[in-house]
PDB file of all heavy atoms in Angstrom:
ATOM      1  N   ASN M   2     141.910 -27.282 -68.256  1.00 97.00           N
ATOM      2  CA  ASN M   2     140.900 -27.441 -67.203  1.00 97.00           C
ATOM      3  C   ASN M   2     139.838 -28.405 -67.701  1.00 97.00           C
ATOM      4  O   ASN M   2     139.387 -28.298 -68.841  1.00 97.00           O
ATOM      5  CB  ASN M   2     140.249 -26.103 -66.865  1.00 97.00           C
ATOM      6  CG  ASN M   2     141.204 -25.155 -66.182  1.00 97.00           C
ATOM      7  OD1 ASN M   2     142.288 -25.534 -65.785  1.00 97.00           O
ATOM      8  ND2 ASN M   2     140.802 -23.930 -66.042  1.00 97.00           N
ATOM      9  N   ILE M   3     139.435 -29.333 -66.825  1.00 97.00           N
ATOM     10  CA  ILE M   3     138.408 -30.304 -67.192  1.00 97.00           C
ATOM     11  C   ILE M   3     137.563 -30.635 -65.959  1.00 97.00           C
ATOM     12  O   ILE M   3     138.110 -30.837 -64.870  1.00 97.00           O
ATOM     13  CB  ILE M   3     139.037 -31.578 -67.808  1.00 97.00           C
ATOM     14  CG1 ILE M   3     137.969 -32.527 -68.313  1.00 97.00           C
ATOM     15  CG2 ILE M   3     139.971 -32.264 -66.846  1.00 97.00           C
ATOM     16  CD1 ILE M   3     138.487 -33.636 -69.208  1.00 97.00           C
ATOM     17  N   ALA M   6     133.685 -34.804 -63.523  1.00 94.00           N
ATOM     18  CA  ALA M   6     132.774 -35.783 -64.110  1.00 94.00           C
ATOM     19  C   ALA M   6     133.246 -36.217 -65.501  1.00 94.00           C
ATOM     20  O   ALA M   6     133.190 -37.393 -65.849  1.00 94.00           O
ATOM     21  CB  ALA M   6     131.362 -35.212 -64.190  1.00 94.00           C
ATOM     22  N   ALA M   8     136.410 -35.955 -66.562  1.00 96.00           N
ATOM     23  CA  ALA M   8     137.730 -36.565 -66.393  1.00 96.00           C
ATOM     24  C   ALA M   8     137.624 -38.054 -66.062  1.00 96.00           C
ATOM     25  O   ALA M   8     138.477 -38.841 -66.481  1.00 96.00           O
ATOM     26  CB  ALA M   8     138.505 -35.839 -65.309  1.00 96.00           C
ATOM     27  N   ALA M  10     135.744 -40.283 -67.264  1.00 96.00           N
ATOM     28  CA  ALA M  10     135.614 -41.070 -68.495  1.00 96.00           C
ATOM     29  C   ALA M  10     136.886 -41.028 -69.338  1.00 96.00           C
ATOM     30  O   ALA M  10     137.057 -41.852 -70.229  1.00 96.00           O
ATOM     31  CB  ALA M  10     134.431 -40.566 -69.306  1.00 96.00           C
ATOM     32  N   LEU M  12     140.198 -40.718 -67.938  1.00 95.00           N
ATOM     33  CA  LEU M  12     141.343 -40.752 -67.029  1.00 95.00           C
ATOM     34  C   LEU M  12     142.617 -41.285 -67.682  1.00 95.00           C
ATOM     35  O   LEU M  12     143.684 -40.689 -67.540  1.00 95.00           O
ATOM     36  CB  LEU M  12     141.019 -41.558 -65.777  1.00 95.00           C
ATOM     37  CG  LEU M  12     142.103 -41.544 -64.696  1.00 95.00           C
ATOM     38  CD1 LEU M  12     142.421 -40.123 -64.256  1.00 95.00           C
ATOM     39  CD2 LEU M  12     141.682 -42.386 -63.517  1.00 95.00           C
ATOM     40  N   SER M  13     142.538 -42.365 -68.424  1.00 95.00           N
ATOM     41  CA  SER M  13     143.740 -42.924 -69.046  1.00 95.00           C
ATOM     42  C   SER M  13     144.404 -41.913 -69.981  1.00 95.00           C
ATOM     43  O   SER M  13     145.626 -41.751 -69.974  1.00 95.00           O
ATOM     44  CB  SER M  13     143.411 -44.202 -69.824  1.00 95.00           C
ATOM     45  OG  SER M  13     143.031 -45.216 -68.937  1.00 95.00           O
ATOM     46  N   GLU M  14     143.611 -41.244 -70.792  1.00 96.00           N
ATOM     47  CA  GLU M  14     144.144 -40.245 -71.716  1.00 96.00           C
ATOM     48  C   GLU M  14     144.740 -39.063 -70.953  1.00 96.00           C
ATOM     49  O   GLU M  14     145.804 -38.547 -71.305  1.00 96.00           O
ATOM     50  CB  GLU M  14     143.052 -39.746 -72.664  1.00 96.00           C
ATOM     51  CG  GLU M  14     143.493 -38.652 -73.593  1.00 96.00           C
ATOM     52  CD  GLU M  14     144.611 -39.038 -74.548  1.00 96.00           C
ATOM     53  OE1 GLU M  14     144.758 -40.236 -74.863  1.00 96.00           O
ATOM     54  OE2 GLU M  14     145.361 -38.140 -74.970  1.00 96.00           O
ATOM     55  N   ALA M  19     149.472 -35.990 -68.840  1.00 95.00           N
ATOM     56  CA  ALA M  19     150.238 -35.511 -67.682  1.00 95.00           C
ATOM     57  C   ALA M  19     151.660 -36.066 -67.731  1.00 95.00           C
ATOM     58  O   ALA M  19     152.617 -35.343 -67.470  1.00 95.00           O
ATOM     59  CB  ALA M  19     149.543 -35.910 -66.386  1.00 95.00           C
ATOM     60  N   GLY M  22     153.960 -34.137 -69.728  1.00 92.00           N
ATOM     61  CA  GLY M  22     154.337 -32.820 -69.232  1.00 92.00           C
ATOM     62  C   GLY M  22     153.200 -31.806 -69.142  1.00 92.00           C
ATOM     63  O   GLY M  22     153.401 -30.695 -68.675  1.00 92.00           O
ATOM     64  N   GLU M  24     149.903 -30.080 -67.650  1.00 95.00           N
ATOM     65  CA  GLU M  24     149.251 -29.961 -66.345  1.00 95.00           C
ATOM     66  C   GLU M  24     147.742 -29.988 -66.558  1.00 95.00           C
ATOM     67  O   GLU M  24     147.210 -29.203 -67.343  1.00 95.00           O
ATOM     68  CB  GLU M  24     149.672 -28.664 -65.659  1.00 95.00           C
ATOM     69  CG  GLU M  24     149.186 -28.569 -64.234  1.00 95.00           C
ATOM     70  CD  GLU M  24     149.765 -27.363 -63.528  1.00 95.00           C
ATOM     71  OE1 GLU M  24     150.887 -27.465 -63.015  1.00 95.00           O
ATOM     72  OE2 GLU M  24     149.079 -26.324 -63.513  1.00 95.00           O
ATOM     73  N   ASN M  26     144.118 -29.558 -64.804  1.00 97.00           N
ATOM     74  CA  ASN M  26     143.390 -29.049 -63.644  1.00 97.00           C
ATOM     75  C   ASN M  26     141.995 -29.643 -63.639  1.00 97.00           C
ATOM     76  O   ASN M  26     141.259 -29.526 -64.612  1.00 97.00           O
ATOM     77  CB  ASN M  26     143.293 -27.524 -63.694  1.00 97.00           C
ATOM     78  CG  ASN M  26     144.643 -26.871 -63.586  1.00 97.00           C
ATOM     79  OD1 ASN M  26     145.432 -27.204 -62.714  1.00 97.00           O
ATOM     80  ND2 ASN M  26     144.925 -25.958 -64.480  1.00 97.00           N
ATOM     81  N   THR M  28     138.244 -29.617 -62.247  1.00 97.00           N
ATOM     82  CA  THR M  28     137.360 -28.580 -61.703  1.00 97.00           C
ATOM     83  C   THR M  28     136.037 -29.161 -61.198  1.00 97.00           C
ATOM     84  O   THR M  28     135.589 -30.209 -61.652  1.00 97.00           O
ATOM     85  CB  THR M  28     137.048 -27.514 -62.768  1.00 97.00           C
ATOM     86  OG1 THR M  28     136.345 -28.109 -63.856  1.00 97.00           O
ATOM     87  CG2 THR M  28     138.315 -26.856 -63.291  1.00 97.00           C
ATOM     88  N   ARG M  29     135.468 -28.450 -60.256  1.00 97.00           N
ATOM     89  CA  ARG M  29     134.130 -28.754 -59.745  1.00 97.00           C
ATOM     90  C   ARG M  29     133.380 -27.429 -59.723  1.00 97.00           C
ATOM     91  O   ARG M  29     133.834 -26.484 -59.087  1.00 97.00           O
ATOM     92  CB  ARG M  29     134.198 -29.351 -58.342  1.00 97.00           C
ATOM     93  CG  ARG M  29     132.818 -29.710 -57.794  1.00 97.00           C
ATOM     94  CD  ARG M  29     132.881 -30.340 -56.410  1.00 97.00           C
ATOM     95  NE  ARG M  29     133.481 -31.661 -56.494  1.00 97.00           N
ATOM     96  CZ  ARG M  29     134.447 -32.106 -55.683  1.00 97.00           C
ATOM     97  NH1 ARG M  29     134.913 -31.343 -54.731  1.00 97.00           N
ATOM     98  NH2 ARG M  29     134.954 -33.312 -55.833  1.00 97.00           N
ATOM     99  N   VAL M  34     139.974 -27.805 -58.261  1.00 97.00           N
ATOM    100  CA  VAL M  34     140.024 -28.484 -56.969  1.00 97.00           C
ATOM    101  C   VAL M  34     141.201 -29.449 -56.856  1.00 97.00           C
ATOM    102  O   VAL M  34     141.538 -29.892 -55.758  1.00 97.00           O
ATOM    103  CB  VAL M  34     138.702 -29.218 -56.663  1.00 97.00           C
ATOM    104  CG1 VAL M  34     137.564 -28.225 -56.496  1.00 97.00           C
ATOM    105  CG2 VAL M  34     138.368 -30.234 -57.737  1.00 97.00           C
ATOM    106  N   THR M  36     145.010 -30.936 -59.247  1.00 96.00           N
ATOM    107  CA  THR M  36     145.856 -30.875 -60.432  1.00 96.00           C
ATOM    108  C   THR M  36     146.502 -32.233 -60.653  1.00 96.00           C
ATOM    109  O   THR M  36     147.009 -32.848 -59.714  1.00 96.00           O
ATOM    110  CB  THR M  36     146.953 -29.801 -60.258  1.00 96.00           C
ATOM    111  OG1 THR M  36     146.321 -28.538 -60.049  1.00 96.00           O
ATOM    112  CG2 THR M  36     147.838 -29.714 -61.478  1.00 96.00           C
ATOM    113  N   LEU M  37     146.476 -32.676 -61.899  1.00 95.00           N
ATOM    114  CA  LEU M  37     147.115 -33.926 -62.294  1.00 95.00           C
ATOM    115  C   LEU M  37     148.359 -33.546 -63.086  1.00 95.00           C
ATOM    116  O   LEU M  37     148.272 -32.812 -64.081  1.00 95.00           O
ATOM    117  CB  LEU M  37     146.159 -34.741 -63.167  1.00 95.00           C
ATOM    118  CG  LEU M  37     146.629 -36.082 -63.691  1.00 95.00           C
ATOM    119  CD1 LEU M  37     146.924 -37.036 -62.530  1.00 95.00           C
ATOM    120  CD2 LEU M  37     145.574 -36.685 -64.595  1.00 95.00           C
ATOM    121  N   SER M  38     149.524 -34.005 -62.628  1.00 93.00           N
ATOM    122  CA  SER M  38     150.774 -33.684 -63.322  1.00 93.00           C
ATOM    123  C   SER M  38     151.774 -34.816 -63.104  1.00 93.00           C
ATOM    124  O   SER M  38     151.595 -35.663 -62.224  1.00 93.00           O
ATOM    125  CB  SER M  38     151.349 -32.361 -62.814  1.00 93.00           C
ATOM    126  OG  SER M  38     151.657 -32.443 -61.448  1.00 93.00           O
ATOM    127  N   ALA M  39     152.832 -34.812 -63.900  1.00 91.00           N
ATOM    128  CA  ALA M  39     153.879 -35.813 -63.766  1.00 91.00           C
ATOM    129  C   ALA M  39     154.634 -35.567 -62.460  1.00 91.00           C
ATOM    130  O   ALA M  39     154.670 -34.447 -61.958  1.00 91.00           O
ATOM    131  CB  ALA M  39     154.827 -35.722 -64.950  1.00 91.00           C
ATOM    132  N   PRO M  40     155.259 -36.610 -61.907  1.00 86.00           N
ATOM    133  CA  PRO M  40     156.060 -36.431 -60.687  1.00 86.00           C
ATOM    134  C   PRO M  40     157.176 -35.427 -60.928  1.00 86.00           C
ATOM    135  O   PRO M  40     157.697 -35.298 -62.041  1.00 86.00           O
ATOM    136  CB  PRO M  40     156.645 -37.817 -60.424  1.00 86.00           C
ATOM    137  CG  PRO M  40     155.778 -38.757 -61.180  1.00 86.00           C
ATOM    138  CD  PRO M  40     155.249 -37.989 -62.356  1.00 86.00           C
ATOM    139  N   GLY M  44     161.089 -41.304 -61.251  1.00 59.00           N
ATOM    140  CA  GLY M  44     160.702 -42.386 -60.348  1.00 59.00           C
ATOM    141  C   GLY M  44     159.561 -42.011 -59.428  1.00 59.00           C
ATOM    142  O   GLY M  44     158.973 -42.861 -58.793  1.00 59.00           O
ATOM    143  N   GLY M  45     159.253 -40.731 -59.358  1.00 54.00           N
ATOM    144  CA  GLY M  45     158.144 -40.284 -58.511  1.00 54.00           C
ATOM    145  C   GLY M  45     158.437 -40.474 -57.045  1.00 54.00           C
ATOM    146  O   GLY M  45     159.542 -40.739 -56.641  1.00 54.00           O
ATOM    147  N   SER M  46     157.406 -40.365 -56.253  1.00 57.00           N
ATOM    148  CA  SER M  46     157.532 -40.580 -54.828  1.00 57.00           C
ATOM    149  C   SER M  46     156.379 -41.456 -54.375  1.00 57.00           C
ATOM    150  O   SER M  46     155.377 -41.596 -55.065  1.00 57.00           O
ATOM    151  CB  SER M  46     157.505 -39.241 -54.080  1.00 57.00           C
ATOM    152  OG  SER M  46     156.292 -38.582 -54.336  1.00 57.00           O
ATOM    153  N   LYS M  47     156.531 -42.049 -53.229  1.00 56.00           N
ATOM    154  CA  LYS M  47     155.487 -42.921 -52.701  1.00 56.00           C
ATOM    155  C   LYS M  47     154.263 -42.071 -52.392  1.00 56.00           C
ATOM    156  O   LYS M  47     154.350 -41.061 -51.711  1.00 56.00           O
ATOM    157  CB  LYS M  47     155.987 -43.598 -51.435  1.00 56.00           C
ATOM    158  CG  LYS M  47     155.325 -44.911 -51.143  1.00 56.00           C
ATOM    159  CD  LYS M  47     155.919 -45.532 -49.908  1.00 56.00           C
ATOM    160  CE  LYS M  47     156.469 -46.879 -50.275  1.00 56.00           C
ATOM    161  NZ  LYS M  47     156.905 -47.618 -49.098  1.00 56.00           N
ATOM    162  N   GLY M  48     153.113 -42.459 -52.916  1.00 59.00           N
ATOM    163  CA  GLY M  48     151.893 -41.710 -52.707  1.00 59.00           C
ATOM    164  C   GLY M  48     150.955 -42.395 -51.745  1.00 59.00           C
ATOM    165  O   GLY M  48     151.259 -43.446 -51.195  1.00 59.00           O
ATOM    166  N   LEU M  50     148.224 -43.893 -52.473  1.00 63.00           N
ATOM    167  CA  LEU M  50     147.598 -45.079 -53.037  1.00 63.00           C
ATOM    168  C   LEU M  50     148.564 -46.232 -53.270  1.00 63.00           C
ATOM    169  O   LEU M  50     148.193 -47.249 -53.817  1.00 63.00           O
ATOM    170  CB  LEU M  50     146.881 -44.716 -54.358  1.00 63.00           C
ATOM    171  CG  LEU M  50     145.777 -43.688 -54.213  1.00 63.00           C
ATOM    172  CD1 LEU M  50     145.165 -43.367 -55.571  1.00 63.00           C
ATOM    173  CD2 LEU M  50     144.698 -44.176 -53.263  1.00 63.00           C
TER     174      LEU M  50
END
Side-chain angles (χ1 to χ4, degrees):
N2 291 350
I3 186 167
L12 186 57
S13 293
E14 176 62 26
E24 188 173 276
N26 295 312
T28 63
R29 181 178 291 133
V34 295
T36 300
L37 180 62
S38 62
S46 60
K47 206 178 238 188
L50 299 178

